[in-house]
Amino acid sequence: MSWQQYVDEHLICDTDGQPIHLTAAAIIGHDGNVWAQSSTFPPFTPEEISAVMNDFAEPGSLAPTGLFLGGVKYMVIQGEPGAVIRGKKVMFL
């Protein structure tokens, strides 16, 4: 199975008729290359990828400023330091 197939069929899909609440997903390698991303995921800038890679090297570095992907700000939430970064879109009212 390719990484793209994994994103399309396992991260952005229905589970027993119930939708998973991810609206977009991406997998980025430790080399900074995008391996796969859903069609709804915004394009990354080099600066955004650098910030993500830096958070893997220095876990928690994104927490004070937030995670930016495709120009959209996400609050950093639960993850596994050095392995997984999870974010939730910041909603402004």
Side-chain angles (χ1 to χ4, degrees):
M1 173 185 308
S2 71
W3 287 116
Q4 187 62 53
Q5 187 179 7
Y6 179 79
V7 167
D8 295 340
E9 294 178 8
H10 297 281
L11 297 180
I12 308 296
C13 64
D14 287 344
T15 303
D16 297 326
Q18 299 298 316
I20 295 177
H21 296 287
L22 291 177
T23 57
I27 298 173
I28 302 172
H30 285 280
D31 58 2
N33 287 317
V34 178
W35 292 2
Q37 69 186 76
S38 60
S39 62
T40 55
F41 212 100
F44 299 100
T45 67
E47 295 80 17
E48 292 168 342
I49 290 177
S50 290
V52 168
M53 300 313 299
N54 185 57
D55 196 73
F56 283 116
E58 299 174 33
S61 65
L62 287 174
T65 59
L67 167 65
F68 287 84
L69 298 171
V72 177
K73 184 175 183 177
Y74 297 83
M75 177 177 53
V76 178
I77 58 172
Q78 173 193 20
E80 291 96 51
V84 175
I85 301 168
R86 291 185 183 96
K88 180 176 181 178
K89 189 173 182 180
V90 176
M91 303 298 289
F92 296 99
L93 300 175

